[in-house]
Amino acid sequence: MLCPSSIEDTRLATNRDGYFEIRWTERTATGRARTRTYSCGTKDANEAKAVRVTWFAAQRQVAQQLAVESDPTISSLIKAYTEQYIDVEGVNKSQRFSLRIIDRYLGNYLLSEITPDAIVAHRKTREAEGIKPGTVRRQLGAFRAVLNWAKDKGKLIPESYVLPKFDLPEGGGGRTNVLSEDEEERMWKLASELALSDTFFHRRRIGYFICIALETAARSEAIETLTWDRVHLNEGLLDFRDPDRRATKKRRVPVPISDRLLPILTDLSNRERKDNKYVLGSSAGTDTSFRRFRDQHGFNSTRHDLRRTWATLRAQWGVSLTHIADVLGDTYETVEKHYKHLQPGYLRGAMNARPNRDNSN
């Protein structure tokens, strides 16, 4: 079901942080019960009750609209996917922007009008606007996720309906904006000096973020949403696993705190921990402030390049691929594919192999 049949089928409860959630139970196709939640974003009971009423009305409106549409618009499918999946499950948040673009260009289309030719026309339009193929691929991939979700178990699209098949543009070439050892050292020096400075916290925040990223290889969102209850300074461990986050292919793992990072985190804890739930003060994004830092100091990298930098340098320094995979939370096969060739002595024995022609013995 898309949402509870009546508001009485939902209840309000507080999570471990004291915030109210709307909770209800859904039945899977096999009859298994599954609890769903939606955060009210407040600790006030009266405010939570008002959110519950507003939320339920919005869900019913979407469900009723789609129930009478034998041929729904793409915009209505995107709206349902966002409200019923992204918001509820708390996953695939990065798809929001991609789906806003798809909604802008294809939102008024009926499902039946989404044909391979329509997708090709969309691709040509976007490419004529100077949009890179990799970006178009990411946006169409998000759109494909909407269609697959809407058809899954007949949520919004009958299971008998044949979804249109369309090819995605080729992805962009491999990124090469990995920092060299000297560049990584320079970025660390600048970021740590900023973090330990006496300026306002909102300016120091990006320094702390960069230091954590360079020393843990964690993804940006994992760092931004890291809470103090998962920082164990005495044990020397950072646990990026979020118990409130649904597990995805992008695994989060606990990692030891390096000797270089420990004084940075200790300083942050001493100055900010008592007033904040989040290590970085809030879970707000860091992309804008990172780009400002990057451009100010002449670096050419993205936040995710810091993760690649960590893995690249460790491979070059001879760290085992198994350990690199454990820190990244990736499979050994993935790490081997991208970093094995960087290890010292890679294939050197094969290249230097020669037959032994000494027959003196």
Side-chain angles (χ1 to χ4, degrees):
M1 61 189 297
L2 275 177
C3 70
S5 57
S6 71
I7 196 169
E8 286 74 22
D9 293 330
T10 69
R11 62 188 177 90
L12 288 173
T14 55
N15 61 22
R16 65 179 185 176
D17 295 319
Y19 287 88
F20 278 94
E21 294 179 336
I22 302 167
R23 297 181 181 176
W24 71 98
T25 301
E26 288 186 359
R27 293 283 177 182
T28 66
T30 60
R32 182 180 178 182
R34 184 175 184 181
T35 299
R36 300 288 194 177
T37 64
Y38 180 86
S39 176
C40 296
T42 181
K43 295 182 179 180
D44 184 273
N46 291 328
E47 291 181 1
K49 290 177 182 177
V51 171
R52 181 189 182 200
V53 172
T54 303
W55 171 85
F56 181 76
Q59 307 315 303
R60 293 305 300 164
Q61 181 180 3
V62 172
Q64 290 167 3
Q65 176 186 358
L66 292 171
V68 300
E69 291 183 353
S70 59
D71 194 8
T73 64
I74 299 306
S75 184
S76 65
L77 294 178
I78 290 175
K79 178 179 174 64
Y81 178 82
T82 301
E83 295 180 350
Q84 299 293 335
Y85 183 65
I86 296 180
D87 289 348
V88 172
E89 299 288 354
V91 298
N92 294 339
K93 294 181 180 179
S94 60
Q95 290 184 347
R96 288 182 185 275
F97 179 76
S98 293
L99 292 177
R100 283 201 294 267
I101 300 299
I102 293 295
D103 196 13
R104 184 191 309 166
Y105 285 84
L106 301 176
N108 290 330
Y109 280 65
L110 297 174
L111 177 61
S112 61
E113 295 175 325
I114 298 299
T115 63
D117 288 342
I119 297 299
V120 170
H122 172 73
R123 286 175 51 179
K124 290 181 178 178
T125 298
R126 298 292 282 149
E127 290 166 6
E129 294 172 345
I131 306 302
K132 295 180 179 179
T135 301
V136 178
R137 176 185 178 87
R138 182 171 61 253
Q139 293 166 359
L140 286 175
F143 178 41
R144 179 180 283 174
V146 171
L147 297 179
N148 289 334
W149 173 85
K151 184 181 177 181
D152 182 43
K153 298 182 178 65
K155 287 188 182 76
L156 304 177
I157 301 173
E159 292 186 76
S160 60
Y161 187 90
V162 179
L163 292 176
K165 294 182 179 180
F166 52 85
D167 296 326
L168 300 180
E170 292 294 330
R175 298 182 183 181
T176 58
N177 294 335
V178 172
L179 300 175
S180 68
E181 189 171 340
D182 289 341
E183 289 174 327
E184 190 268 358
E185 186 63 38
R186 183 168 76 90
M187 180 177 282
W188 169 268
K189 184 175 184 297
L190 291 167
S192 59
E193 288 176 351
L194 175 60
L196 298 175
S197 69
D198 293 326
T199 189
F200 296 111
F201 177 69
H202 74 272
R203 296 178 181 173
R204 291 186 285 118
R205 184 173 185 261
I206 191 59
Y208 289 119
F209 169 85
I210 292 172
C211 288
I212 296 172
L214 285 173
E215 284 299 290
T216 65
R219 293 182 173 87
S220 299
E221 186 180 354
I223 299 173
E224 292 160 355
T225 58
L226 179 64
T227 51
W228 279 115
D229 61 326
R230 292 181 279 128
V231 176
H232 309 289
L233 293 177
N234 292 335
E235 294 80 8
L237 191 72
L238 287 179
D239 192 347
F240 288 105
R241 296 172 299 182
D242 186 348
D244 296 327
R245 175 180 178 270
R246 181 183 176 187
T248 68
K249 291 186 294 184
K250 296 182 177 181
R251 291 194 303 126
R252 298 183 183 182
V253 295
V255 297
I257 301 173
S258 69
D259 294 341
R260 188 164 75 156
L261 182 59
L262 182 58
I264 304 295
L265 288 178
T266 301
D267 173 80
L268 178 56
S269 176
N270 291 338
R271 289 206 268 182
E272 307 294 339
R273 183 168 190 162
K274 66 179 183 297
D275 298 322
N276 295 296
K277 168 187 174 182
Y278 293 100
V279 171
L280 294 182
S282 74
S283 59
T286 54
D287 187 47
T288 300
S289 53
F290 178 81
R291 283 188 276 112
R292 188 183 301 119
F293 177 95
R294 175 196 67 190
D295 297 342
Q296 178 184 352
H297 297 293
F299 293 102
N300 180 28
S301 56
T302 65
R303 293 176 300 167
H304 198 71
D305 286 330
L306 305 189
R307 177 178 169 87
R308 297 188 184 96
T309 293
W310 187 93
T312 296
L313 292 180
R314 268 62 184 184
Q316 292 173 345
W317 296 340
V319 175
S320 77
L321 297 182
T322 299
H323 288 168
I324 293 175
D326 288 342
V327 171
L328 294 180
D330 288 338
T331 64
Y332 178 85
E333 290 73 20
T334 297
V335 171
E336 183 180 43
K337 174 183 175 181
H338 293 291
Y339 300 106
K340 182 177 181 179
H341 66 285
L342 299 172
Q343 293 211 295
Y346 173 70
L347 295 183
R348 188 169 299 278
M351 301 307 294
N352 290 329
R354 290 289 184 274
N356 184 3
R357 299 186 183 282
D358 185 1
N359 298 320
S360 59
N361 295 328

